[in-house]
């Protein structure tokens, strides 16, 4: 398995339109990635499509903290 990348720009869009299904699918893939020993990268895209990594998740506890912050206001 390879690393999984979460683009927080996309996450913010899904939060805005309350696309719970897409968010749940993303977190399921991220969980599977971590369980299989790989990292989950958090990146932010700019208007030109360039991605800049700003964090990585390597444990299920880290992923759950991030998940809680994403779903906090939904």
């Amino acid at each position: 398995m390879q690393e999984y990348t979460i683009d927080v720009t996309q996450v913010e869009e899904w939060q805005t339109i309350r696309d719970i299904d897409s968010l749940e699918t993303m977190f399921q893939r991220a969980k599977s990635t971590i369980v299989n020993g790989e990292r989950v990268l958090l990146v932010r895209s700019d208007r030109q499509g360039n991605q800049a990594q700003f964090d990585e998740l390597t444990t299920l506890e880290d992923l759950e903290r991030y998940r809680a912050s994403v779903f906090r206001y939904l």
Side-chain angles (χ1 to χ4, degrees):
M1 181 157 230
Q2 60 185 16
E3 298 172 336
Y4 182 65
T5 301
I6 295 175
D7 185 344
V8 297
T9 307
Q10 182 67 54
V11 170
E12 290 165 349
E13 182 179 322
W14 288 334
Q15 286 175 309
T16 301
I17 62 174
R18 296 186 183 275
D19 188 348
I20 304 298
D21 291 336
S22 293
L23 290 168
E24 288 291 355
T25 299
M26 177 195 67
F27 280 111
Q28 281 299 103
R29 288 181 184 155
K31 181 177 180 180
S32 176
T33 300
I34 290 173
V35 166
N36 285 304
E38 288 294 334
R39 303 177 303 160
V40 174
L41 307 177
L42 297 179
V43 302
R44 180 168 298 279
S45 295
D46 62 17
R47 293 180 191 253
Q48 288 77 36
N50 300 318
Q51 293 183 334
Q53 179 182 340
F54 66 90
D55 202 359
E56 68 179 48
L57 308 172
T58 56
T59 67
L60 293 175
E61 292 80 18
D62 291 342
L63 180 63
E64 187 53 39
R65 272 193 294 278
Y66 179 62
R67 185 181 187 286
S69 72
V70 167
F71 282 99
R72 179 177 298 147
Y73 300 108
L74 294 178

